[in-house]
Amino acid sequence: MVALILLATFAGMLMQTVLGTTVPTLMRDYNISMATAQQATTWFLLANGIMVPVSAYLATKFSTKKLYIIAYIILFAGMLTVFAAPLPKPSTWWVFLSGRILQASAVGITMPLMQVVLVNMYPPKQMGAVMGLGGLVVGLAPAVGPTFAGWILNKNHVILGITFSDSWRTIFILPLSVLGICLVISPFVLKDVLPNKAIKLDIISLIESVLGFGLFLWGFTNVATDGWSKLNTVIMPILFGVMIILVFGYRQFHMTKPFLDLRVFKTKQFTLTTIVIALITMAMMGVEMMLPLYMQEVHGLSALDSGLVLLPGALMMGIMSPIAGLAYDRVGAKRLALVGSVILIIGTFPFVFLTAETPNIFITALYGMRMFGIAMVFMPLTASAMKALPISEAADGTASNNTARQVASAVVVALLSSVTQNVITHAQPAAHLKTTNPLLYADKLIQAMLTGYHVSFALGLAFAIMALITAFFLRGHVLHISNQADDLQSKGGQVK
């Protein structure tokens, strides 16, 4: 059952970044700008961010087996929609985005549900190792996405006598096949793990959650195309979103049976770990989303080669996640978070000074160092966040933790896309140089691109520094205490 859940969730999480190296291809095929092409990622994060808060209610209301099967069907439909989207035209871009939204909605259920299921299947003393296992999915899948897509786009591939074209559509064939197999065997392998309650859906909370997070994230996704000063598509959605989220939060704190129990944030350790995870996510995305574009537009690499530059870092993330989980069981989250944040800062700083002549091997080494540091932070802090709560609050804690991470991802992708695009636009050379002095125009255009990417990488560095500062306030290592015992004591029971 665990193997099936990890495999299917991996296929879903792969969708988050698999289009990272395909942005130039989508721009060309659909005749759209970079900011519009980035919607393939930002709208994914938008829909994902809306669904994650709902996952806690769904996990409590519906059986584990039924919920997983429904989510897999939605994910399969989303992949199929993108794969079979109409011939690339700007007017059919919405079909492509609708498939991405379906994918994200399903991942918004399966990813937090995976963490809650693992927490309930294994004892607290194995929490670090279990979260490290989950890290193979949460960390590795998004990390290998750009490389996998680059390999597909590089050339036609012949596998078992079947020719697969170098089209972006081919990217979805393997995940579709894996998910299809998982969907077929799910009724026979999946079991009900989480305890269910006949809770009534609070329609007002659901509307507040969807509208609040939806408007907030939608406003940020529009920044890349409309800029920060657009009132009706950026400023107003963000402001109204914040207001509705505040009302939503106030109601949850004062409800007897909240839709999403935000009282988990009263636990200091949980709150601090969630903040650090959000900041590390923003630091990771600050480089991960822009580096493939830098490699292709400044270094002139193909989608495959730019993906290969990132591959060692992705593998580092996959190797280190379970190791970091085991280390957490011995030394705790604070030490790992501090060391990992320092490594991340050291690995990010040189990116601010990259040039057109920077060797690819140097970038690969730096990226690998970054992913090493991120792996030391992510899963240990996730385990620490879950361990800080009674097991009865695992679903709400996971939903809250992942909501913060998804909001952080959506905000930083929109922020970096808009800032980078604006810096490049304002720094690019005059158009007349293209004909009067083409060499000077090309040189100045490269410098303009570098300026934009330097700003993006600098923001990633700033988020890493903020994560390090916040990590100092984490609680040190404590001995494992049964979450069930904590839960029993909180209800007035005695533990021998």
Side-chain angles (χ1 to χ4, degrees), residues 120-138:
N120 278 265
M121 289 180 69
Y122 294 90
K125 65 181 181 179
Q126 294 180 316
M127 191 71 69
V130 169
M131 288 296 102
L133 195 64
L136 288 172
V137 171
V138 178

Side-chain angles (χ1 to χ4, degrees), residues 264-387:
V264 293
F265 286 107
K266 290 184 176 180
T267 303
K268 181 181 177 181
Q269 182 75 355
F270 176 84
T271 301
L272 287 175
T273 53
T274 301
I275 292 173
V276 175
I277 288 173
L279 290 170
I280 291 293
T281 298
M282 298 176 86
M284 178 179 70
M285 301 293 282
V287 173
E288 191 169 280
M289 293 305 298
M290 290 301 164
L291 191 55
L293 290 173
Y294 160 81
M295 299 302 298
Q296 292 180 49
E297 295 187 347
V298 177
H299 281 230
L301 297 184
S302 65
L304 173 61
D305 290 336
S306 65
L308 289 175
V309 170
L310 309 182
L311 182 58
L315 297 177
M316 180 66 72
M317 182 82 168
I319 294 171
M320 280 303 301
S321 288
I323 295 176
L326 292 171
Y328 164 76
D329 290 330
R330 294 179 175 272
V331 303
K334 182 173 182 177
R335 293 178 184 176
L336 291 173
L338 290 174
V339 174
S341 297
V342 170
I343 294 174
L344 176 60
I345 291 171
I346 295 173
T348 305
F349 184 75
F351 277 95
V352 183
F353 305 98
L354 293 181
T355 68
E357 292 76 33
T358 303
N360 293 340
I361 188 66
F362 181 66
I363 297 174
T364 300
L366 288 177
Y367 188 73
M369 180 184 295
R370 293 185 81 254
M371 300 308 283
F372 183 93
I374 290 170
M376 290 187 67
V377 178
F378 257 152
M379 284 306 105
L381 284 189
T382 302
S384 179
M386 293 301 99
K387 189 169 174 289

Side-chain angles (χ1 to χ4, degrees), residues 96-387:
F96 189 98
L97 290 181
S98 65
R100 293 288 288 166
I101 291 171
L102 284 174
Q103 295 171 10
S105 300
V107 174
I109 298 172
T110 59
M111 193 262 288
L113 184 60
M114 175 195 72
Q115 294 179 340
V116 180
V117 167
L118 291 178
V119 167
N120 278 265
M121 289 180 69
Y122 294 90
K125 65 181 181 179
Q126 294 180 316
M127 191 71 69
V130 169
M131 288 296 102
L133 195 64
L136 288 172
V137 171
V138 178
L140 184 59
V144 301
T147 306
F148 171 68
W151 176 72
I152 293 292
L153 295 174
N154 184 55
K155 63 178 182 179
N156 293 342
H157 298 277
V158 179
I159 302 176
L160 299 177
I162 302 175
T163 301
F164 296 92
S165 69
D166 57 348
S167 167
W168 52 263
R169 297 179 189 274
T170 308
I171 294 172
F172 298 95
I173 292 179
L174 180 59
L176 268 171
S177 303
V178 170
L179 189 62
I181 294 172
C182 291
L183 187 56
V184 169
I185 65 176
S186 287
F188 309 101
V189 176
L190 293 178
K191 307 294 181 184
D192 292 330
V193 175
L194 306 180
N196 298 125
K197 301 177 185 177
I199 58 176
K200 183 179 179 181
L201 175 63
D202 182 39
I203 300 296
I204 296 178
S205 293
L206 176 62
I207 294 173
E208 288 173 343
S209 174
V210 172
L211 277 181
F213 288 105
L215 285 172
F216 179 78
L217 295 172
W218 180 62
F220 272 98
T221 61
N222 291 331
V223 169
T225 53
D226 299 342
W228 289 96
S229 60
K230 194 74 170 180
L231 184 65
N232 60 330
T233 59
V234 176
I235 297 176
M236 295 304 293
I238 292 176
L239 289 179
F240 277 117
V242 170
M243 292 170 58
I244 296 173
I245 290 173
L246 290 175
V247 173
F248 171 77
Y250 178 83
R251 289 190 71 250
Q252 302 311 301
F253 272 109
H254 292 82
M255 291 176 65
T256 305
K257 295 181 178 180
F259 176 77
L260 178 64
D261 195 353
L262 297 179
R263 284 171 287 207
V264 293
F265 286 107
K266 290 184 176 180
T267 303
K268 181 181 177 181
Q269 182 75 355
F270 176 84
T271 301
L272 287 175
T273 53
T274 301
I275 292 173
V276 175
I277 288 173
L279 290 170
I280 291 293
T281 298
M282 298 176 86
M284 178 179 70
M285 301 293 282
V287 173
E288 191 169 280
M289 293 305 298
M290 290 301 164
L291 191 55
L293 290 173
Y294 160 81
M295 299 302 298
Q296 292 180 49
E297 295 187 347
V298 177
H299 281 230
L301 297 184
S302 65
L304 173 61
D305 290 336
S306 65
L308 289 175
V309 170
L310 309 182
L311 182 58
L315 297 177
M316 180 66 72
M317 182 82 168
I319 294 171
M320 280 303 301
S321 288
I323 295 176
L326 292 171
Y328 164 76
D329 290 330
R330 294 179 175 272
V331 303
K334 182 173 182 177
R335 293 178 184 176
L336 291 173
L338 290 174
V339 174
S341 297
V342 170
I343 294 174
L344 176 60
I345 291 171
I346 295 173
T348 305
F349 184 75
F351 277 95
V352 183
F353 305 98
L354 293 181
T355 68
E357 292 76 33
T358 303
N360 293 340
I361 188 66
F362 181 66
I363 297 174
T364 300
L366 288 177
Y367 188 73
M369 180 184 295
R370 293 185 81 254
M371 300 308 283
F372 183 93
I374 290 170
M376 290 187 67
V377 178
F378 257 152
M379 284 306 105
L381 284 189
T382 302
S384 179
M386 293 301 99
K387 189 169 174 289

Side-chain angles (χ1 to χ4, degrees), residues 424-477:
I424 293 175
T425 300
H426 286 92
Q428 67 184 11
H432 68 83
L433 284 177
K434 188 182 294 185
T435 54
T436 59
N437 195 336
L439 292 178
L440 180 61
Y441 177 84
D443 181 66
K444 287 184 174 294
L445 184 60
I446 291 294
Q447 293 305 315
M449 290 180 180
L450 279 172
T451 302
Y453 293 128
H454 286 164
V455 172
S456 177
F457 298 150
L459 288 173
L461 176 63
F463 292 130
I465 293 173
M466 287 189 283
L468 175 63
I469 295 172
T470 308
F472 277 103
F473 298 94
L474 290 170
R475 190 176 63 208
H477 186 49

